């Protein structure tokens, strides 16, 4: 059984500082925080089911760092949650850590951990902090990834790829089309609420406009929501309104798209 990254860090801190009582407190806080985070994931799944939304849940396997929460998906509690999400018919994918950007070896290691936990080879996902450059597509392809959905703005909404239609990118370094699909990211929760400080009403107006633009050309609207955002009751109310906007729209059929393009 792999030791969780955050637990390993707490034990290492005890060894350095010889403070077992502090470690016990930290371990209790880690356990409580993990249970809370998983509860919020289940809330996301429940809301998606309620509104008939085909959500995808991306999981991490990166070590603890200033930019990564450091949970280990191989622990019984988290792997059970992944099986539960899968049993409800939702997609599970990969959310590679901060340090995997331009580091294909670390990327491959994290992807393989998630594959093992999910029990599925063909996965998609999104880079942490939206750290992306064209070479990222090649690294993801080398890992055998089915699709990427990183290409979007962190500090603004809209069409960073110039389109909302999924496509196979051109790999200029290899002078060929990529084997994976890019599903552009259109809107992220923290972009509207934190980066742009739009407030909930203006954010809903932005989302309605983006959905309308995507629908008008048969594109795909993607909305990134972090489970931690649901700690706020006000955000939960806002998110329900987002789901009401999306409810009834046709879901993107990745399997069909992949077959028709191969």
């Amino acid at each position: 059984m792999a030791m969780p990254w955050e637990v390993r860090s707490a034990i290492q801190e005890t060894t350095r500082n010889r403070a077992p009582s502090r470690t016990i407190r930290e371990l209790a806080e880690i356990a409580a925080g993990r249970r809370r985070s998983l509860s919020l994931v289940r809330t996301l799944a429940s809301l998606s089911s309620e509104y008939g939304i085909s959500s995808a849940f991306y999981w991490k396997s990166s070590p603890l760092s200033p930019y990564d929460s450091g949970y280990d998906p191989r622990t019984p509690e988290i792997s059970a949650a992944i099986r539960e999400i899968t049993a409800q018919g939702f997609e599970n994918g990969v959310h590679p850590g901060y340090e995997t950007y331009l580091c294909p070896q670390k990327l491959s290691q994290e992807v393989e951990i998630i594959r093992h936990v999910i029990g599925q080879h063909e996965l998609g996902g999104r880079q942490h902090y939206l750290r992306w450059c064209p070479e990222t597509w090649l690294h993801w392809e080398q890992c055998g990834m089915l699709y990427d959905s990183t290409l979007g703005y962190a500090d603004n909404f809209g069409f960073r790829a110039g389109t909302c239609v999924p496509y196979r990118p051109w790999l200029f370094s290899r002078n060929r089309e990529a084997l994976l699909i890019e599903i552009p990211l259109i809107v992220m929760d923290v972009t509207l609420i934190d980066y742009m400080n739009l407030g909930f009403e203006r954010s809903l107006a932005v989302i309605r406009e983006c959905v309308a633009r995507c629908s008008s050309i048969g594109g795909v609207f993607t909305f990134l929501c972090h489970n931690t955002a649901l700690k706020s009751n006000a955000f939960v109310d806002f998110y329900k309104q987002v789901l009401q906007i999306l409810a009834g729209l046709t879901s993107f059929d990745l399997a069909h798209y992949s077959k028709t393009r191969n």
Side-chain angles (χ1 to χ4, degrees):
M1 177 60 64
M3 182 182 294
W5 302 117
E6 65 270 45
V7 173
R8 185 182 304 172
S9 177
I11 293 175
Q12 289 172 345
E13 191 69 19
T14 296
T15 303
R16 284 193 294 267
N17 299 326
R18 298 181 180 180
S21 60
R22 175 181 173 183
T23 298
I24 292 173
R25 290 195 300 272
E26 288 183 355
L27 290 174
E29 291 173 359
I30 288 169
R34 187 164 59 229
R35 286 193 296 271
R36 176 59 171 160
S37 294
L38 287 175
S39 173
L40 295 175
V41 170
R42 291 184 171 96
T43 298
L44 281 172
S46 176
L47 290 172
S48 294
S49 294
E50 180 180 346
Y51 289 91
I53 305 297
S54 300
S55 298
F57 293 80
Y58 299 149
W59 301 88
K60 299 182 68 178
S61 60
S62 50
L64 183 66
S65 79
Y67 302 100
D68 296 287
S69 53
Y71 66 84
D72 191 329
R74 293 168 291 188
T75 58
E77 190 175 20
I78 298 177
S79 58
I82 293 175
R83 289 194 299 272
E84 184 180 321
I85 296 296
T86 304
Q88 295 178 54
F90 293 111
E91 175 193 344
N92 287 283
V94 185
H95 191 48
Y98 190 86
E99 298 298 336
T100 63
Y101 175 65
L102 292 181
C103 187
Q105 182 178 3
K106 289 183 179 179
L107 175 66
S108 178
Q109 291 171 348
E110 294 190 14
V111 168
E112 287 307 312
I113 290 175
I114 298 297
R115 277 196 174 116
H116 176 74
V117 175
I118 294 177
Q120 182 180 341
H121 181 78
E122 289 193 329
L123 301 174
R126 178 182 295 113
Q127 283 285 135
H128 194 33
Y129 274 75
L130 304 185
R131 302 187 82 198
W132 175 92
C133 71
E135 200 70 9
T136 304
W137 283 325
L138 178 60
H139 296 163
W140 276 55
E141 182 191 87
Q142 290 170 343
C143 289
M145 299 294 285
L146 185 61
Y147 74 85
D148 167 71
S149 189
T150 304
L151 194 48
Y153 297 115
D155 57 356
N156 210 329
F157 61 89
F159 307 91
R160 183 181 178 186
T163 183
C164 58
V165 177
Y167 63 97
R168 294 188 184 274
W170 187 260
L171 302 179
F172 286 95
S173 63
R174 300 300 172 94
N175 194 32
R176 63 170 174 81
E177 188 179 69
L179 299 178
L180 57 75
I181 298 169
E182 176 63 34
I183 306 176
L185 172 63
I186 308 302
V187 179
M188 181 167 62
D189 55 358
V190 295
T191 299
L192 302 176
I193 307 304
D194 296 333
Y195 282 92
M196 302 182 71
N197 197 27
L198 294 181
F200 294 130
E201 288 303 317
R202 291 175 64 193
S203 295
L204 286 172
V206 164
I207 290 171
R208 289 191 184 96
E209 179 182 357
C210 287
V211 169
R213 290 188 177 189
C214 292
S215 298
S216 68
I217 63 167
V220 177
F221 174 79
T222 51
F223 181 76
L224 166 55
C225 179
H226 296 83
N227 60 317
T228 51
L230 272 67
K231 292 179 180 178
S232 163
N233 291 331
F235 183 88
V236 172
D237 292 338
F238 161 75
Y239 187 58
K240 288 180 179 179
Q241 293 181 73
V242 173
L243 296 180
Q244 288 175 359
I245 295 172
L246 301 178
L249 297 178
T250 302
S251 297
F252 174 56
D253 188 345
L254 176 64
H256 176 74
Y257 186 89
S258 300
K259 290 177 182 177
T260 57
R261 292 299 301 273
N262 284 336

